[in-house]
Amino acid sequence: MLKNLGRIYRPVIKRPDGTVKETSIWWLDYHVHGTRYRESSKSAVYEEAEQLLLARRLGTRAGVPAVVESMEVTVAELLDDVLLNYEINNKSLAWARIVDRHLRPFFGPINAGRVSSADLNRYIAQRRREGVKNATINREFTLLRRAFNMALKSTPPRIASGIQIPKLAENGVRKGFLTHDMFLAMRAGLPAYMQPVITFAYYTGCRKGEILGLRWSQVDVEAGEARLEAGETKNGEGRILPLSRELLEILIEQKRVRDQRWSGCQWVFCRRGERIRDFRGVWKAAAKACGLVDERGQPSRLFHDLRRKGIRNLVRSGVPERVAMMISGHRSRSVFDRYNIVSTDDLHQAMSKVE
């Protein structure tokens, strides 16, 4: 009778060191309405597994979800799903490819259901020996965490349960920003096609990807605003960017040049009609010309520092912080406060107001 209902078995687990071991827990393999399910009985007693199989097939426990056997799913397969998800949703696949450089070589061969805290700790120790900071490890763990969460939410689920992935303390959170003089010097040292980009970042506090991905269909010159579409921002929410007079003049000039030279270009900020993707070289050259480099000759100010400056500009101009958060796209007050840096000048101005 059971033979016609399905199969009860103990799966064999392959460990990272190459050895194999049969589990003590019985698993079920059966079909319901043409769909195949594999599920743990969560019992080492054969008779209990037998009863669960009968209940599943005969419908006496209808509505209880079956779980795909995570023992047969490797972490490499879950990472593949993350990359596919990034590709489908037009997210930065280049950034997600760090799974191939670090996560896949270490976790890839391990069965998803057997990843342990010890494995995570060994990975942390290995990356630290390589000189990697906690912030980088956290970014890598973000992708690993996403892989397991997606597997849990898939239909049917690909794993029986998730894992607790630690978030390491980031004591070296960057707090740099550009002063107005630094901004003017950097803008003057950049090529003409990059000057509107840095100006837009300086006044709005937008992220680099949001600026470079801005299309003309998202700009309303008459209304004096730009629109970031839902699903294209980091937090997935759309928002409206009111344009200052200077930004509006810049965009009008951008459109005039675009209409004359590259009428088919959809990008607001472009380089010879093509989307700007990488400007690290020209940024480094401008920083060097301005003397904004460290002892290794690397830029001491990053493009992302403009986001901090943009947020400070909004708050210091009297814009309510809630409104500033809506413009910058911050949902978390703690993260917003980290960007809204108080400088020495702010403290002196506060004291002068008291006097």
Side-chain angles (χ1 to χ4, degrees), residues 180-198:
H180 187 66
D181 289 340
M182 290 178 183
F183 158 68
L184 293 177
M186 284 292 294
R187 183 170 67 175
L190 287 169
Y193 71 87
M194 275 297 300
Q195 292 179 5
V197 176
I198 188 176

Side-chain angles (χ1 to χ4, degrees), residues 119-138:
D119 295 321
L120 297 172
N121 289 335
R122 282 194 295 271
Y123 181 79
I124 294 171
Q126 174 179 305
R127 295 294 282 142
R128 281 178 174 168
R129 286 194 298 269
E130 295 170 354
V132 173
K133 296 182 180 179
N134 284 357
T136 301
I137 299 174
N138 281 338

Side-chain angles (χ1 to χ4, degrees), residues 290-313:
C290 299
L292 296 176
V293 293
D294 58 21
E295 62 279 0
R296 298 175 295 122
Q298 298 299 316
S300 60
R301 294 297 185 271
L302 307 179
F303 185 86
H304 196 72
D305 292 338
L306 288 164
R307 179 160 169 78
R308 299 179 183 86
K309 181 58 177 176
I311 292 169
R312 290 183 76 251
N313 286 341

Side-chain angles (χ1 to χ4, degrees), residues 193 254 262 265 267-276:
Y193 71 87
Q254 287 283 103
W262 309 289
C265 178
W267 310 108
V268 173
F269 304 104
C270 68
R271 183 169 182 257
R272 292 197 289 269
E274 299 293 333
R275 181 179 180 179
I276 303 170

Side-chain angles (χ1 to χ4, degrees), residues 15-113:
R15 294 172 170 173
D17 59 5
T19 61
V20 295
K21 177 184 176 182
E22 186 180 76
T23 66
S24 60
I25 302 300
W26 292 101
W27 282 68
L28 315 179
D29 185 348
Y30 58 95
H31 287 77
V32 176
H33 303 303
T35 301
R36 185 182 183 183
Y37 295 95
R38 296 188 182 94
E39 177 184 4
S40 170
S41 71
K42 298 181 175 60
S43 174
V45 181
Y46 183 87
E47 288 73 17
E48 293 180 359
E50 189 176 56
Q51 291 176 4
L52 181 59
L53 178 60
L54 284 169
R56 289 285 193 260
R57 289 294 280 111
L58 299 179
T60 57
R61 293 182 63 184
V64 179
V67 179
V68 172
E69 181 186 349
S70 61
M71 299 294 183
E72 296 185 358
V73 179
T74 65
V75 176
E77 295 177 75
L78 303 189
L79 295 176
D80 288 338
D81 290 341
V82 171
L83 294 178
L84 180 61
N85 179 265
Y86 268 71
E87 183 178 353
I88 291 174
N89 291 286
N90 294 319
K91 294 186 177 182
S92 178
L93 191 59
W95 178 81
R97 283 289 180 188
I98 65 175
V99 303
D100 294 328
R101 296 194 294 272
H102 306 295
L103 294 174
R104 192 185 300 276
F106 188 94
F107 293 104
I110 304 177
N111 290 300

Side-chain angles (χ1 to χ4, degrees), residues 161-207:
S161 61
I163 57 175
Q164 292 295 324
I165 300 178
K167 186 170 184 179
L168 307 177
E170 299 182 21
N171 297 323
V173 176
R174 184 174 175 82
K175 297 182 179 180
F177 61 91
L178 276 75
T179 65
H180 187 66
D181 289 340
M182 290 178 183
F183 158 68
L184 293 177
M186 284 292 294
R187 183 170 67 175
L190 287 169
Y193 71 87
M194 275 297 300
Q195 292 179 5
V197 176
I198 188 176
T199 306
F200 198 92
Y202 182 79
Y203 284 110
T204 65
C206 282
R207 300 176 180 90

